[in-house]
Amino acid sequence: MTERPRHTGSTTGVSPIVDGPQPKHVQLREILRRLAERELPPGSPILSERELAERYGVSRLTVRTAVGQLVAEGLLIRAAGKGTFTARRRVETQLYLESFTDDMRRRGLTPDTEVLACGEQTPPPAVGDTLGLAEDEPGYWLFRLRRADGMPLAVERGWYNPRVVPGLLDHDLTGSMYTQLAEHYGVQLDQGRQTVWADAADAETARLLRIRVGSPVLVFHRTSSASGQPVEDMTSWYRGDLYQVTMQLDRNGPGSGPHSAQGGTP
């Protein structure tokens, strides 16, 4: 059996690990961090504990501690019986009103959207209230899978107000919804409220995102309006292993904590 080659990055020298103010496991952790972030492509195997200990002249406990910290940070992934690998890079976003399509393009990624289902039907009472619809008044329902560079990244289930965007389902729904709203209806979403929480993927979400049932996902529930008129009520499930959120935190004032961050989905 041919063993898959393992890497530690550049072969032009090994950074020394010496006794000093920084513990050895911290020194090794930062060496491996540089390799994972700058030199090795996602999915690359790293040396085994024994090989790392021999190369850097440290104990296997030191190696285990350093690697474990990077696994906890999500930079490395352990695969039982196979070894330790560099993780896929996460897409990072800040919370503001921007379409998925525009956000991915801004990051140099190629967005792709598959419409799984859509239709006109009566929304749940809470959604109808949010959109300002009368009792039993139908709304537009949309179910989409969003990809970045061919990798499934998010599942979206949302509702739109037919009073504001009549005939929406007749348009191309595989691109930026915000672009469609602006070009065909002159609607510019200018305000939103978003809640984010962690959850475990159910069977359907896991299948669509190509992850295991129960894998962590980030859930975004967003309501958006234009000139004070409610337009959108959307829930999105993002892969927890490929996505992360950065929020600006202020000591004083509204929205000064992760629990109350407002804005649009990426």
Side-chain angles (χ1 to χ4, degrees), residues 150-194:
M151 178 66 66
L153 186 60
V155 172
E156 292 182 346
R157 296 177 175 89
W159 295 86
Y160 290 87
N161 189 337
R163 298 182 189 176
V164 182
V165 289
L168 176 66
L169 302 183
D170 296 330
H171 298 292
D172 180 10
L173 305 177
T174 62
S176 167
M177 184 60 67
Y178 289 2
T179 298
Q180 292 284 5
L181 298 181
E183 291 183 352
H184 294 285
Y185 301 98
V187 172
Q188 296 280 356
L189 298 180
D190 53 23
Q191 189 173 30
R193 181 175 182 83
Q194 182 159 268

Side-chain angles (χ1 to χ4, degrees), residues 64-136:
R64 194 170 300 122
T65 301
V67 170
Q69 290 175 352
L70 295 179
V71 169
E73 291 181 25
L75 284 176
L76 298 178
I77 296 176
R78 287 192 176 108
K82 297 180 179 179
T84 303
F85 301 81
T86 55
R88 288 192 176 97
R89 307 292 189 263
R90 294 191 180 200
V91 176
E92 181 173 348
T93 188
Q94 295 184 343
L95 297 181
Y96 50 91
L97 279 169
E98 182 179 39
S99 73
F100 176 93
T101 300
D102 292 340
D103 186 37
M104 294 302 109
R105 286 175 177 164
R106 181 168 55 83
R107 300 172 190 282
L109 303 173
T110 301
D112 174 63
T113 299
E114 179 181 351
V115 178
L116 302 173
C118 63
E120 185 174 356
Q121 62 188 63
T122 303
V127 174
D129 290 343
T130 297
L131 295 180
L133 302 178
E135 185 178 357
D136 296 329

Side-chain angles (χ1 to χ4, degrees), residues 7-10 32 34-46 76 86-87 89:
H7 307 278
T8 58
S10 174
L32 297 177
R34 288 193 295 272
L35 292 174
E37 291 181 338
R38 304 176 189 176
E39 299 186 33
L40 298 178
S44 297
I46 68 169
L76 298 178
T86 55
R89 307 292 189 263

Side-chain angles (χ1 to χ4, degrees), residues 8-18 27-28 31-32 34-35 39 47 51-58:
T8 58
S10 174
T11 58
T12 59
V14 174
S15 300
I17 292 181
V18 298
Q27 297 179 55
L28 179 59
I31 291 171
L32 297 177
R34 288 193 295 272
L35 292 174
E39 299 186 33
L47 295 177
E51 292 167 326
L52 285 172
E54 292 177 354
R55 170 167 290 209
Y56 293 100
V58 296

